[in-house]
Amino acid sequence: MELDRDLCSLQEARNLVRAAREAQEALKDFTQEQVDHIIDMMREAGEANAARLAMMAVSETEMGNYEDKCFKNYFASRTLYDFIKPMKTVGIIREDHEQKLWEIAEPVGVIAGIIPTTNPTSTVIYKAMIALKSRNAIVFSPHPSAVRCTNEAAKIMHQAAVAAGAPEGVIGCILNVSMGATNELMKHPNVAMILATGGSALVKAAYSSGKPALGVGPGNVPAFVERSADLAKAAEYIVMGKTFDNGTICASEQAIVAEDCIADELIGQLKRFGAHFLDSEDVKKVSKVVMLPNGGVNPKVVGKDPKFIAQLAGINIPERTRCLIAPLSGVGPQWPLSYEKLTTVLGFYRVADWHEGCERCFQLLEAGGVGHSLAMHSNNEEVIREFALKKPVNRLLINTPAAMGGVGATTGLAPSFTLGCGTWAGSSVSENVTPLHLLNIKRVAWHLQIPDRKPVEPMTSGGSNERAQTQNQSQTPQVDARMVQEIIKQVMQHLNR
Ligand SMILES: CC(=O)SCCNC(=O)CCNC(=O)[C@H](O)C(C)(C)COP(=O)(O)OP(=O)(O)OC[C@H]1O[C@@H](n2cnc3c(N)ncnc32)[C@H](O)[C@@H]1OP(=O)(O)O
């Protein structure tokens, strides 16, 4: 029986890839106008169904909240559409007259889209739109606890695309989910690329599949509050970022790092915006229910509100609490809440100055968020610059809620639900993924007249060069400088002919 189900799910994955491949063969010849019309219709369907899909996602996964999931679906359709609409993704997309270069866009083919349980419907809308904008087909693999809503989002996107002229089968979604089917999809010879968003094990599986994979896994985003920050705004934005969809966005704040001289005032402001500070006993109780003994987050608390967590931990909190804050003194297994929590719980650290703050943020990133994001609240550009130059993150988010800033909702970053974390996290991209990452770019390069540059005069006397020359004299044969110049001249003449 089990075997039958596995075979059936493998066959389903293969059938979906076959249909997607045929559809993509046709789609690759579509014009920019045709593609843009399809994307516009998908945008309309995403917007029209934002609320229904949000409701489905919340009730099936029991993660996040309805309002924020509505926003995420709207953001993945409307905001993303506005951003990608002017992008050229068909034919010659750039001509450089000076360097005599053309750039020609070619789709990659069929993409495997791995969908997380934290942002299922918004990630489907986003991935389907960027895939089709670049004339690719896509087959989704849902997380086992979000199969229905992921399939519904994929169906809505598919229907809208086909009604606008896209070939049938251009968007598919596995219904009989199994790890075997997901592996089959990722390793299928007709799948060109993997867009993987999810837990670290799955992202790792994507990277190990032998296919080019753009993945995003965990973050552990510190929010550093520096003494020059507007503390009321910083507190408001941190609570806003942390509580957005109950902490399910991987760019959401995981710990506050505050300079000691402003820490008390910041605590007052955080309380004003609905944060509840835990005493040391309650920190222990919350740690036990939020984190697993292996250091990972307990899936039961992911995307849950503070009331749920408090009940599970057996602690009392005020009625209006929006998030729980645990004062911590270190990073590592001794302080379980120093890791990524994906829920409405934050760590809190005091540091003497920004140098110590820099070090603490580094430790937090090293504990699981290297390459991802860091938030900073400061009006001191010098300190911001120091952080930007030193920290191993690809998004440094200034005076903004990290969850929304990271995905490009409140910053100038590209709207995206796949945030590249660079080689630090095993990824080949370090920016927010857009349709331009799903293209092969052919370059047509003409012969250029290479200018007859004057060769650099070799030094004949004085300084360290003379010393180097003297040292080398015994080992290397002497070369006449005029001879070198003559050779270079001849090569230049030859190239310019
Ligand atoms: C912009 C953004 O915000 S992107 C967000 C990126 N980050 C995330 O999505 C959060 C990362 N996700 C996670 O950490 C986890 O999924 C959690 C904590 C939310 C839930 O954890 P869990 O349910 O315990 O584990 P996980 O999701 O890894 O997998 C559960 C099982 O489903 C399986 N599974 C997960 N995805 C798939 C899939 N696409 N196909 C088949 N099986 C899958 C896993 O292999 C695992 O199987 P196992 O129990 O046999 O080992």
Side-chain angles (χ1 to χ4, degrees), residues 14-287:
R14 287 179 199 137
N15 291 344
L16 288 166
V17 174
R18 189 183 319 116
R21 164 86 171 191
E22 282 169 20
Q24 202 275 327
E25 279 293 319
L27 185 69
K28 74 177 171 30
D29 294 326
F30 277 35
T31 64
Q32 188 74 65
E33 290 68 31
Q34 286 174 304
V35 167
D36 288 346
H37 173 62
I38 293 167
I39 300 303
D40 194 13
M41 293 300 105
M42 290 167 77
R43 188 261 323 143
E44 197 175 293
E47 274 185 57
N49 288 281
R52 192 167 69 82
L53 289 174
M55 187 62 86
M56 281 188 78
V58 174
S59 71
E60 187 178 1
T61 65
E62 297 180 355
M63 287 179 187
N65 62 67
Y66 168 69
E67 291 78 13
D68 293 340
K69 287 221 187 289
C70 285
F71 175 83
K72 289 206 278 196
N73 290 336
Y74 176 83
F75 174 75
S77 14
R78 165 55 77 175
T79 313
L80 175 72
Y81 172 78
D82 289 342
F83 183 80
I84 65 177
K85 187 178 169 221
M87 278 180 186
K88 277 193 183 179
T89 51
V90 179
I92 299 179
I93 58 170
R94 197 172 82 91
E95 282 182 62
D96 184 333
H97 299 292
E98 206 174 306
Q99 293 301 315
K100 291 199 176 172
L101 275 174
W102 288 352
E103 288 178 0
I104 300 175
E106 287 284 350
V108 296
V110 178
I111 294 171
I114 313 298
I115 301 299
T117 181
T118 44
N119 313 305
T121 56
S122 47
T123 308
V124 166
I125 299 172
Y126 151 76
K127 287 188 180 177
M129 289 203 12
I130 64 167
L132 269 70
K133 173 77 184 183
S134 41
R135 287 176 295 151
N136 295 297
I138 188 159
V139 178
F140 292 114
S141 161
H143 187 278
S145 45
V147 178
R148 285 194 306 278
C149 62
T150 302
N151 265 277
E152 185 62 16
K155 194 174 99 189
I156 288 167
M157 287 291 107
H158 182 246
Q159 280 173 347
V162 170
E168 282 278 350
V170 72
I171 298 167
C173 187
I174 297 174
L175 196 56
N176 301 295
V177 175
S178 71
M179 207 48 221
T182 303
N183 278 326
E184 177 71 15
L185 175 65
M186 293 196 294
K187 293 185 177 166
H188 196 289
N190 286 340
V191 167
M193 184 185 241
I194 305 166
L195 265 183
T197 318
S200 10
L202 206 82
V203 171
K204 212 165 165 192
Y207 288 148
S208 317
S209 69
K211 292 283 164 68
L214 305 182
V216 55
N220 194 25
V221 179
F224 176 58
V225 185
E226 194 259 345
R227 63 187 71 192
S228 69
D230 175 338
L231 298 181
K233 268 269 164 278
E236 184 185 2
Y237 285 165
I238 290 170
V239 173
M240 198 188 275
K242 175 80 271 188
T243 57
F244 181 64
D245 204 27
N246 293 347
T248 52
I249 294 264
C250 54
S252 66
E253 293 85 346
Q254 301 300 325
I256 299 169
V257 178
E259 276 201 83
D260 206 27
C261 58
I262 48 93
D264 289 335
E265 197 185 332
L266 179 67
I267 289 171
Q269 292 291 352
L270 286 162
K271 286 179 179 169
R272 199 162 73 83
F273 286 101
H276 173 71
F277 277 73
L278 302 168
D279 63 26
S280 55
E281 276 312 301
D282 286 357
V283 169
K284 282 186 206 149
K285 289 180 189 166
V286 168
S287 300

Side-chain angles (χ1 to χ4, degrees), residues 347-366:
F348 188 93
Y349 297 90
R350 283 172 183 265
V351 288
D353 53 26
W354 73 262
H355 295 282
E356 197 184 317
C358 215
E359 187 49 38
R360 183 60 86 205
C361 290
F362 189 72
Q363 290 167 359
L364 286 160
L365 293 167
E366 286 271 288

